[in-house]
Amino acid sequence: MFYIKSLLVLALLSLAAAPALAQHDCANCPSAKAAANGGIQANAAEPSAVKAPVYNQLPGYGKKAWIGQDFYFTYNFDKKPKMGPAVLKVQLFSKDGKKAPGWEILGRSGMPSMSGAHDAEAVFKLNKKGDYLLPVTFVMPGEWEIKLTFKKDGNVVYLGNFKLNV
């Protein structure tokens, strides 16, 4: 009986001490350094860490965004975005105004304030009219960010993003 009481006391003491142990200062831990560095963990043996890609801020809906000097695109939703599904349409043109098929466009949606919580990523589908379409589901109100990656022949050619409130 004494043995069981001793085990219970030890278990209670370890539970009481757990929060204090979990709150130790770990400013020099690799994970803390990575968090302070935007999630990028630098290796002491490497002179510089890999940096996150830089996205170009896109102009408003329906306005031309140029990809180099030979292509441009416009983007818009099929309806005003609100909670639930919406379709993002990208129209890609050559500089002479003709539709430009043969590209791969990747779309990533998420809430910057809740990074990773509601993120979704998918490839746009090309419809018969030559428009690139991506369904986006807004699961809660707030600020959302859409990131677009344009690839030609397997190479990333352009990165763009825009924010919207739902």
Side-chain angles (χ1 to χ4, degrees), residues 32-41 52:
K33 286 181 182 177
N37 194 19
I40 299 171
Q41 186 169 340

Side-chain angles (χ1 to χ4, degrees), residues 5-64:
K5 285 183 182 179
S6 298
L7 285 176
L8 284 173
V9 169
L10 285 174
L12 289 173
L13 285 174
S14 66
L15 285 175
L21 291 173
Q23 295 176 0
H24 73 283
D25 183 16
C26 187
N28 292 322
C29 295
S31 59
K33 286 181 182 177
N37 194 19
I40 299 171
Q41 186 169 340
N43 184 339
E46 295 175 5
S48 64
V50 176
K51 299 204 176 181
V54 176
Y55 286 82
N56 298 295
Q57 176 119 14
L58 296 177
Y61 298 131
K63 296 185 179 176
K64 291 180 182 179

Side-chain angles (χ1 to χ4, degrees), residues 52-95:
V54 176
Y55 286 82
N56 298 295
Q57 176 119 14
L58 296 177
Y61 298 131
K63 296 185 179 176
K64 291 180 182 179
W66 283 90
I67 300 175
Q69 296 178 349
D70 296 326
F71 297 95
Y72 68 90
F73 67 95
T74 61
Y75 65 96
N76 208 344
F77 282 98
D78 65 331
K79 59 185 175 185
K80 182 178 174 165
K82 59 182 182 178
M83 296 252 315
V87 176
L88 178 60
K89 177 171 71 171
V90 170
Q91 294 180 305
L92 183 59
F93 303 93
S94 59
K95 66 181 172 185

